[in-house]
Amino acid sequence: MTIGGLVTLDALSNNPLIRRQYPVLAEAAESVATPQIRNVATLAGNVCQRPWCWYYRNGFHCLKNGGTTCYSVAGENAFHAIFGGGPSYIVHPSDTAPALVALDARFRIAGPSGERVIPAADFFALPTEDPARENVLAPDEMLVEVSLPAATRGTRSTYHKVLDREAWTHAVVSAAVVLEMNEDVCRSARIVLGGVAPIPWRLPEVEKLLTGQRVTPELAAKAGEAAVAGARPLAKNGYKVPMVRAMVARTLAGLVA
């Protein structure tokens, strides 16, 4: 399936084919902000939005605003990264981005110099590459189209999100899960977290743990434990670690129940 970058999130979430074949993307789109915003917000805009860090958004001369210091390291960091942080600890705010990475989508990018197509996972950039940017778009390029691979038989997917209030905010923690199942045995898995890293954060070790196994509640619990390996919380966001653990375990158990 090919989706134009200007499709609204409301149209995307209510499309019958998307809801049937790619529920993880429909659920992610319908979780964004408020109905009024979803009526006008676009898929490309949601993927390419800037981070919600209060230092960056409020005009501090921080690392992302051309300064030399990420104030969240020693300041207000309750909503910042526990994976992949440094030198900036922003989190990527998009809900649709983790779903698209989990679906192995491909992005078509266009500009005056031509077009290129890249995997969704290669679109996002860590602060270690350039703390001022979140993706690989050149200043004169746009994300114009998203392509999804055909949904295979036995695929199950879902998107879960925890917020600090009921609407109009980004995820504190989210998880996009895509499982290719043969009855109760997982043929392959793709699990991508949101709200916890500067990019959609994929969990390859958890995916390996699930592949070829019956997804039982016990295995789901082990996957939750494996999901937080390598987490490096800051002073005020350590609560995200047990939240990730529980979300991965409960999402997996619920998806195959």
Side-chain angles (χ1 to χ4, degrees), residues 2-254:
T2 300
I3 306 170
L6 289 180
V7 67
T8 66
L9 297 179
D10 180 72
L12 185 65
S13 66
N14 287 299
N15 182 280
L17 189 59
I18 294 290
R19 296 204 71 88
R20 184 170 65 252
Q21 296 191 10
Y22 310 98
V24 64
L25 181 56
E27 293 168 10
E30 72 181 356
S31 78
V32 175
T34 64
Q36 295 91 333
I37 290 175
R38 293 193 294 273
N39 282 335
V40 294
T42 66
L43 177 61
N46 186 259
V47 169
C48 297
Q49 65 182 297
R50 305 306 303 273
W52 282 39
C53 171
W54 36 53
Y55 294 107
Y56 172 68
R57 287 289 181 111
N58 285 290
F60 283 78
H61 191 55
C62 65
L63 190 62
K64 290 195 69 64
N65 271 326
T68 59
T69 302
C70 177
Y71 295 112
S72 67
V73 175
E76 292 298 327
N77 51 44
F79 294 144
H80 286 70
I82 62 171
F83 297 104
S88 170
Y89 287 82
I90 59 103
V91 296
H92 200 279
S94 172
D95 288 296
T96 58
L100 292 170
V101 173
L103 287 168
D104 281 343
R106 297 182 69 81
F107 289 176
R108 183 163 69 90
I109 297 167
S113 59
E115 297 186 354
R116 55 192 176 116
V117 177
I118 63 173
D122 294 343
F123 179 77
F124 304 97
L126 283 168
T128 50
E129 299 176 40
D130 183 349
R133 301 177 61 187
E134 299 85 50
N135 59 56
V136 299
L137 286 177
D140 58 356
E141 288 184 318
M142 295 187 297
L143 170 58
V144 297
E145 191 175 80
V146 172
S147 297
L148 302 176
T152 59
R153 185 175 180 180
T155 297
R156 306 179 193 179
S157 70
T158 192
Y159 180 78
H160 281 190
K161 174 182 179 181
V162 174
L163 301 84
D164 67 320
R165 56 183 188 266
E166 289 188 2
W168 203 305
T169 188
H170 60 292
V172 174
V173 172
S174 67
V177 179
V178 179
L179 302 180
E180 293 182 15
M181 303 292 294
N182 181 10
E183 296 183 352
D184 60 349
V185 175
C186 177
R187 295 198 306 267
S188 69
R190 294 183 295 279
I191 303 175
V192 184
L193 301 178
V196 296
I199 62 174
W201 193 254
R202 191 163 178 175
L203 300 175
E205 294 304 315
V206 178
E207 296 169 1
K208 292 177 185 177
L209 178 67
L210 297 170
T211 302
Q213 304 296 317
R214 291 182 61 247
V215 183
T216 62
E218 293 76 17
L219 183 62
K222 290 181 181 178
E225 293 292 340
V228 297
R232 293 185 296 123
L234 300 169
K236 299 180 181 180
N237 66 1
Y239 70 93
K240 288 191 177 188
V241 175
M243 192 175 285
V244 167
R245 183 188 300 119
M247 174 168 283
V248 169
R250 295 184 66 179
T251 301
L252 286 170

